[in-house]
Amino acid sequence: MGTRIEIDQLVKVFGSGQAAARAVDGIGLTIEPGELFFLLGPSGCGKTTLLRMIAGFIDPSEGSIAFDGRDVTHAPPNKRNTGMVFQSYALWPHMTVAQNVAFGLNVRKVSGAERDTLVEEALAAVQMEQYAERKPTQLSGGQQQRVALARAIVIKPDVLLLDEPLSNLDAKLRNDLRHQIRNICKASGITTVYVTHDQKEALSMADRVALLRDGKVVQLGTPRELYRQPESKFVAEFLGETNLIQAATDGTGTLRVEAGAFEATPISQDQSKSKHILISVRPEATSLTPAGESGSLPGKLLDTTYLGETAQHLVEVKGCPLIKVAEMNPFGSSSRVHPEPGDTVGVRFDPGEVVPISAD
Ligand code: ATP
């Protein structure tokens, strides 16, 4: 079940001469059968162009795309059996929910009882059976997007393509729908490619993520790999808050900044040979300690933002940019220190969470 998508050296150039822009610049990827695969990246990185080349709406300039070994690089959309869900839902306003979902089946000449059963099944998969006779205008945004999803999966596509499907919805609904969409995709076994610029969406839903920048894949991996082992500054920062620190190494896994020394277990022998390295430490892998505690760096607390379940502290540490420390359950009984702005504190980096990265 599910289709393998092989993308090889894919390029899309828009325009020509001086104005030519390489929107997709030599991308190679294999998306496994049944995988929920995310294309993530900032505006203009080429993710929509790549998705549209997989759908057949944009003709590639170079390279190839194959579905289960069948070359579809220049095949028109209707020869690929893909289902597509857009940000704008794109439902027919004059048709009922059931008629909207049946549309693709009518085009494929599926009729009668078979069509009705398939429509019912698709609406049940997105929990919209009871709305079958409503018009799209009588539905909320989230419900409309579930209908759009039912319409895409009812034709049993080889590949499901989703282009920022949750961007028009409010934060709470987006959260609810993330789980639902993931469950529907995984239950159907359809290979799914999902485009978003929202890193939380990608981290919470994806089997694997390709992070794009300037038409290229900068890192590919599971959500945990990308978040926990970013290879570059760009990846570390795109996926969340982090502390980027330039530190000196002495070849033993101990790093040094002006304020003092700290341990960093993932530093390899190779990296230890260079004199300075750039590291990333997430705020949640950083904690406040009483001043002067061994293994912590001396610093001054500048500011605390209290958010209820967490607090974000900003600490001045000599030789570092302002250090962000995230504390869970702040001022709770397990909190080791309750400093006020201006107090001297210690800052401790969890030694296993100090990740060496490249500067680009
Ligand atoms: P967004 O999140 O803003 O939609 P994106 O990552 O999906 O961004 P694309 O829409 O793929 O980015 O665009 C990639 C680059 O190609 C951009 O610089 C864009 O301006 C350019 N581009 C896209 N479509 C065309 C076109 N039809 N003609 C010329 N340039 C285009």
Side-chain angles (χ1 to χ4, degrees):
M1 194 132 99
T3 297
R4 172 175 282 106
I5 307 174
E6 283 160 305
I7 297 169
D8 190 31
Q9 289 306 310
L10 202 66
V11 173
K12 180 64 194 180
V13 181
F14 288 112
S16 58
Q18 292 262 309
R22 290 172 85 83
V24 169
D25 194 6
I27 286 186
L29 302 167
T30 299
I31 302 172
E32 298 299 336
E35 195 170 23
L36 178 46
F37 192 93
F38 270 63
L39 301 174
L40 173 70
S43 183
C45 70
K47 52 196 187 297
T48 305
T49 304
L50 177 54
L51 191 80
R52 287 171 173 265
M53 288 196 280
I54 300 172
F57 297 133
I58 294 180
D59 196 37
S61 310
E62 291 170 34
S64 65
I65 303 171
F67 288 176
D68 276 345
R70 181 170 66 95
D71 183 12
V72 296
T73 314
H74 302 290
N78 61 356
K79 292 280 174 339
R80 299 187 185 207
N81 199 31
T82 56
M84 185 108 186
V85 176
F86 301 92
Q87 183 177 333
S88 59
Y89 324 135
L91 298 174
W92 299 107
H94 60 285
M95 290 185 188
T96 64
V97 163
Q99 286 165 344
N100 264 285
V101 175
F103 186 79
L105 296 172
N106 292 334
V107 172
R108 285 169 167 74
K109 308 266 185 283
V110 179
S111 57
E114 188 188 356
R115 180 190 59 199
D116 295 345
T117 308
L118 289 171
V119 170
E120 259 174 52
E121 281 174 6
L123 284 175
V126 300
Q127 294 171 353
M128 286 293 290
E129 314 96 300
Q130 68 274 41
Y131 298 96
E133 295 314 315
R134 289 223 193 150
K135 294 278 174 60
T137 49
Q138 298 167 312
L139 301 176
S140 71
Q143 291 168 335
Q144 289 185 59
Q145 199 53 302
R146 274 148 62 192
V147 175
L149 188 58
R151 187 183 52 180
I153 60 175
V154 75
I155 59 164
K156 305 211 182 299
D158 295 329
V159 174
L160 179 62
L161 303 168
L162 301 151
D163 190 0
E164 306 251 9
L166 304 181
S167 323
N168 284 344
L169 306 173
D170 66 46
K172 160 120 184 45
L173 206 50
R174 269 207 307 268
N175 263 336
D176 295 347
L177 274 187
R178 280 178 192 165
H179 296 290
Q180 291 188 20
I181 293 183
R182 179 171 164 88
N183 290 344
I184 293 161
C185 292
K186 296 313 288 184
S188 70
I190 301 170
T191 308
T192 304
V193 188
Y194 188 123
V195 160
T196 186
H197 61 268
D198 181 335
Q199 88 279 7
K200 288 256 158 55
E201 216 162 285
L203 291 178
S204 62
M205 294 177 69
D207 290 325
R208 284 191 305 155
V209 181
L211 182 54
L212 271 61
R213 182 191 197 186
D214 297 336
K216 294 190 168 76
V217 175
V218 288
Q219 197 172 337
L220 173 67
T222 63
R224 267 193 232 179
E225 285 164 351
L226 257 65
Y227 188 81
R228 298 182 59 78
Q229 283 120 38
E231 287 163 5
S232 62
K233 177 171 175 278
F234 175 79
V235 177
E237 288 188 310
F238 194 84
L239 290 174
E241 295 266 15
T242 198
N243 294 299
L244 297 169
I245 302 163
Q246 192 81 45
T249 70
D250 60 5
T252 63
T254 300
L255 299 181
R256 183 165 288 280
V257 291
E258 195 184 336
F262 57 96
E263 298 304 311
T265 39
I267 305 297
S268 70
Q269 285 302 318
D270 244 18
Q271 283 146 341
S272 299
K273 279 182 197 143
S274 46
K275 284 205 154 140
H276 284 92
I277 56 170
L278 184 64
I279 55 157
S280 162
V281 200
R282 300 280 182 201
E284 66 273 20
T286 308
S287 49
L288 294 184
T289 70
E293 189 171 276
S294 120
S296 72
L297 297 171
K300 185 167 90 170
L301 181 67
L302 290 191
D303 188 40
T304 294
T305 306
Y306 181 67
L307 296 164
E309 82 278 27
T310 57
Q312 187 172 68
H313 308 286
L314 289 176
V315 188
E316 197 175 64
V317 174
K318 282 214 172 83
C320 297
L322 273 189
I323 300 295
K324 292 172 259 188
V325 179
E327 186 184 2
M328 283 300 288
N329 194 20
F331 306 102
S333 52
S334 61
S335 229
R336 297 189 56 211
V337 282
H338 295 169
E340 295 294 328
D343 287 356
T344 303
V345 291
V347 168
R348 183 177 182 276
F349 302 127
D350 184 338
E353 308 273 332
V354 174
V355 183
I357 56 169
S358 73
D360 45 299

